[in-house]
Amino acid sequence: MKKLSLTFAAVAVALTAGTAARAAQPAYTQNPDVLWKGNFEDGATSLSGHCSNGQDGFCREQSVRSEQIQVVQDPVNEGRYAARFEVKYGDVMNGYSDERALLSPPSTLWEDEGNERWYRWQIMWPQDYAGDYPKWDELGTPSSRSVGGWVVEWHHDAAGGVETGSAPLYFGANNTSIKMCLVDQATSACRENLELAPLQRGHWHDFVMHAKWSSDPSVGFLEIWIDGQNVLPKHMTSNKYPGMRNYMLAGLYRNGHIGDPNLTYPNGSHVYGTDGAPGVVYLDGFIVGRTRESVLDSQTPAAPPSAGGNTGSGPTGGSGSAGQAAGAGTGFPEAGGCSSGGLQQAWLALPLFGLFALRRRRAAAKA
């Protein structure tokens, strides 16, 4: 009986050790179909200088103040760091007309005609985010509003030619909804202005996008999921301009008139206040890949609480659903199926060892 007890204890210890080893492993392995990650996990060095083929992190910043783009530890969605973007009146770079705080990835990610890609990223609009403002040149019409800002966009590059029109594709939010704009190149206006999902301020919205880039509406398409819900089933459309490439920009971008402290109504009151009307958003977890699995299974595992990471709610009460284990809460099946945890397996094994011990005792009694 003593020998049996020692055997049982040894197996229990082995199961417990196996459980601890599994818990110590990362929540993901790098998928070979992952093309690029922009998750800010290198801290401030994530923001620029990563311009070579195969490098993670961002290549270039577009800002005029150091406060406009900051790596932060709270709030975050996954891992240890996220990025905070701020614009206010006057944040205009030389040669541009709009206020911006933007990052761009390496040029090796710029998309040509026919490229098919999967993307994933997270956005949090804080509780005080202003989704629209009075339109500066139509102040006599209260219903005329200017969008509070675009956050993720695919711009166009003419590869040395002449670029015309606004970017082909924008994602942003007004006061109530997450929006997507597909642009008419000739007018720079939205030819399709779609409301994708309700806006939840203070919540990390998890975006997954499947795109085939083409200027031919019978070839190009977009599919979009937000927080696991398929908000845009496969939508055939032109999503780039003829003869041009697309490249992603991430941050905050809005019209240069917003926040002008000198603009007043006829009664003398300021249209935007006197502080430049600062706007702020947070971004995290960018991944680009060739397959759905490559973007769903390759997020950085959440940092333990002792590391200073905040994988749950930020100061505004957002949820960290996108920072859960790969596939959890995404609306997609988990890759590789599911299995019981090691601790659960250990407890399930205990009755089997008890039954084995009982049979040994009965056999000994009969002998």
Side-chain angles (χ1 to χ4, degrees):
M1 188 64 187
K2 182 177 180 181
K3 182 178 180 181
L4 181 61
S5 298
L6 290 173
T7 302
F8 172 78
V11 174
V13 168
L15 282 168
T16 303
T19 300
R22 279 187 290 271
Q25 292 175 355
Y28 75 97
T29 55
Q30 182 75 13
N31 189 308
D33 286 323
V34 172
L35 298 174
W36 174 81
K37 297 178 76 172
N39 55 17
F40 309 108
E41 290 307 296
D42 289 333
T45 61
S46 305
L47 301 181
S48 63
H50 303 267
C51 302
S52 300
N53 188 16
Q55 278 191 314
D56 290 335
F58 290 88
C59 177
R60 182 187 175 213
E61 295 182 54
Q62 296 184 25
S63 61
V64 294
R65 296 182 292 117
S66 60
E67 299 85 0
Q68 286 189 261
I69 306 177
Q70 299 181 41
V71 173
V72 298
Q73 290 185 281
D74 188 13
V76 302
N77 178 71
E78 54 99 5
R80 297 177 299 160
Y81 300 108
R84 177 187 185 273
F85 297 83
E86 175 187 298
V87 297
K88 64 181 183 180
Y89 182 72
D91 290 337
V92 177
M93 292 179 61
N94 292 336
Y96 294 99
S97 60
D98 295 294
E99 300 161 3
R100 62 185 61 212
L102 297 172
L103 297 175
S104 57
S107 60
T108 50
L109 290 180
W110 293 13
E111 307 296 358
D112 293 311
E113 182 77 26
N115 282 8
E116 187 170 346
R117 297 285 184 262
W118 286 81
Y119 305 84
R120 189 178 185 181
W121 68 91
Q122 291 83 45
I123 306 174
M124 191 183 81
W125 287 269
Q127 294 287 4
D128 59 355
Y129 176 76
D132 61 37
Y133 295 92
K135 199 166 186 306
W136 61 94
D137 56 351
E138 298 178 16
L139 297 178
T141 307
S143 60
S144 294
R145 312 289 292 182
S146 179
V147 66
W150 300 103
V151 184
V152 178
E153 62 185 86
W154 271 263
H155 215 287
H156 55 302
D157 170 72
V162 178
E163 299 176 14
T164 60
S166 295
L169 176 61
Y170 292 90
F171 288 91
N174 60 17
N175 285 314
T176 58
S177 302
I178 298 171
K179 300 174 66 67
M180 182 184 80
C181 168
L182 283 160
V183 174
D184 183 321
Q185 183 182 11
T187 65
S188 291
C190 298
R191 57 179 170 83
E192 292 188 72
N193 196 353
L194 305 179
E195 294 191 351
L196 299 176
L199 172 64
Q200 299 178 55
R201 288 176 173 82
H203 165 78
W204 281 104
H205 286 286
D206 181 22
F207 290 73
V208 174
M209 184 177 82
H210 181 203
K212 185 166 186 177
W213 300 108
S214 179
S215 57
D216 183 343
S218 68
V219 175
F221 66 76
L222 295 169
E223 292 181 278
I224 298 168
W225 292 258
I226 298 178
D227 296 336
Q229 300 299 312
N230 185 200
V231 298
L232 185 69
K234 190 173 184 179
H235 181 61
M236 303 301 298
T237 185
S238 167
N239 50 29
K240 64 184 291 295
Y241 299 149
M244 298 190 185
R245 301 179 295 176
N246 275 6
Y247 64 95
M248 186 186 75
L249 290 172
L252 189 57
Y253 173 93
R254 70 184 192 185
N255 190 279
H257 292 277
I258 294 174
D260 184 350
N262 299 312
L263 192 60
T264 60
Y265 290 108
N267 63 6
S269 63
H270 291 273
V271 174
Y272 303 112
T274 58
D275 62 352
V280 172
V281 298
Y282 296 87
L283 291 169
D284 203 356
F286 282 94
I287 304 175
V288 181
R290 297 185 182 92
T291 65
R292 182 192 70 179
E293 290 75 18
S294 66
V295 301
L296 292 182
D297 299 346
S298 299
Q299 283 210 322
T300 302
S306 60
N310 175 10
T311 59
S313 61
T316 49
S319 98
S321 60
Q324 298 169 359
T330 63
F332 296 103
E334 294 188 33
C338 61
S339 61
S340 300
L343 185 60
Q344 182 183 8
Q345 291 172 352
W347 283 109
L348 288 174
L350 291 178
L352 297 177
F353 284 113
L355 180 60
F356 174 73
L358 181 59
R359 286 177 175 174
R360 288 290 298 269
R361 290 181 62 185
R362 288 176 177 174
K366 287 180 181 179

